[in-house]
Amino acid sequence: MSRGTRAIIDLAALRFNHQKVRQLAPNSKIWSVVKANGYGHGATRIAQALAASTDGFAVATLDEACELRQAGIDKPILLLEGTASAGQTGVACEENIELVIHNPEQLQWLVEQKKPARVWLKIDTGMHRLGISVAQVAEFAKQVSNQLHLTLVGIMTHLASADEPDNPQTDEQLAQFAQAQALLPNVQHCISNSAATVSLVDTHANWIRPGIILYGASPFADKTAKQLGFKPVMSLLAPVIAVRNIDVGEKVGYGGNWTAKRPTSVATLAIGYADGYPRHAPNGTPVWLNGQQVELIGRVSMDMITVDVTDLAHVELGDEAVLWGEQVSVDTVASACNTIGYELLTRRSLRVPLQFRD
C-alpha cells in the first residue's frame, strides 16, 4: 500500500498538448512517442487516451510495442530502434509493427522471415548513433524493394541539436537528409522530434514524432513548456510525514550539508530517490506546499526529503506537497538539478502509483 506518494496523470492536458502539436504541424501525421512507459506516465493509458486522435505510436523496444498491442491498440506502431534479433523480427512481423532498419543484419532478418512487414530506413545524417549512410540508401532501398513481402514506407533521421536553434549542425544534417530524399522522393519522410516540431517548420515533412512536449515538458534549456503553450501532464505528490523545529546552527540530513541560520521548521516528505526524485537535487530546489513555494534542505534520502516550512502559517501531517506539476514545473526542478525534464519524468519508480484523471 502506498504511503500517499503518487503521480496524477492529467489525460485532458495530454489531449490538449496533442492538439497543440497538430496545430503546429497541420500537414503532418503524428507518431506519438510513448517509449519508456510513456515517459513515465503509463504507456497503455496514454496510448488509449490518444488512440482516437493520433496517427500512430512510436516506441523503443519490442516489449513496449507488444504491450500496446495486448492492450488493444490497433493504430500503427513504429519500432524506432528496430529489432535486436531474428526472433524478435518474427514477433514484430506477427504483431504488425512497422520496423526501422539501421544496419544490414536487421534487413537480413526481415528477408529471412518471409513475413509481410512495413519498413523505414534510418539515415545517419551526422548524429552517429544509429543509421545507414546516405551512400548506402539506394542499395538498402533496392534490397527492400526486391522482397515482395517487404514494403519500404519511408526514410527518417534524428536531429542532434534541434533544441539549439542556432546550431549549424542542424543545417548540415538537413542537407544530408535532402540527398537521401532526392534518391527516394516517392516514400514518406520523418525528421522532427519535439524540438524540431516546435521550432523548425521546414522539418515537419510527412510525419513528425513528438515526445516530451506531449507530456508538458520542454525540449529547450531556455524555455519552459508553459512558455511554449503546453500543459503539464504529471503532478508528482508526496505527503508530509513529520514536522519538527530546530535551532540556529543545527544541521539537516546526511552529511549535515544544510545548517539553519534561523530557528527553522522542517517538514519531512514521503519521497526520495527510490521513488524517482533526483538524489542530486541541491538545497533550494523548489517544492510547492500549502499554496506556497518552499525549499528543499538537506540531502535527498532514499525514501524522504526535508523542506523548510518556517514561513508557512500552518503545516500538519498529511498535507500534500507538489514536487512538480502545475505550480512548480518539471522544467524548473530539472534546471535546479542541472538535468532535463525527460530524466525526471522517466525515472518515476514503480512504488509511486499512477492515478489517471480526465
Side-chain angles (χ1 to χ4, degrees), residues 278 280 285 324 329-344:
H280 59 287
T285 300
W324 57 71
S329 76
V330 70
D331 300 320
T332 300
V333 178
S335 178
C337 299
N338 195 31
T339 185
I340 54 178
Y342 300 73
E343 181 183 9
L344 299 188

Side-chain angles (χ1 to χ4, degrees), residues 34 40 89 95 163 217 246 300-301 306:
V34 294
T89 303
E95 295 291 343
D163 57 328
I246 63 174
V300 175
S301 302
T306 43

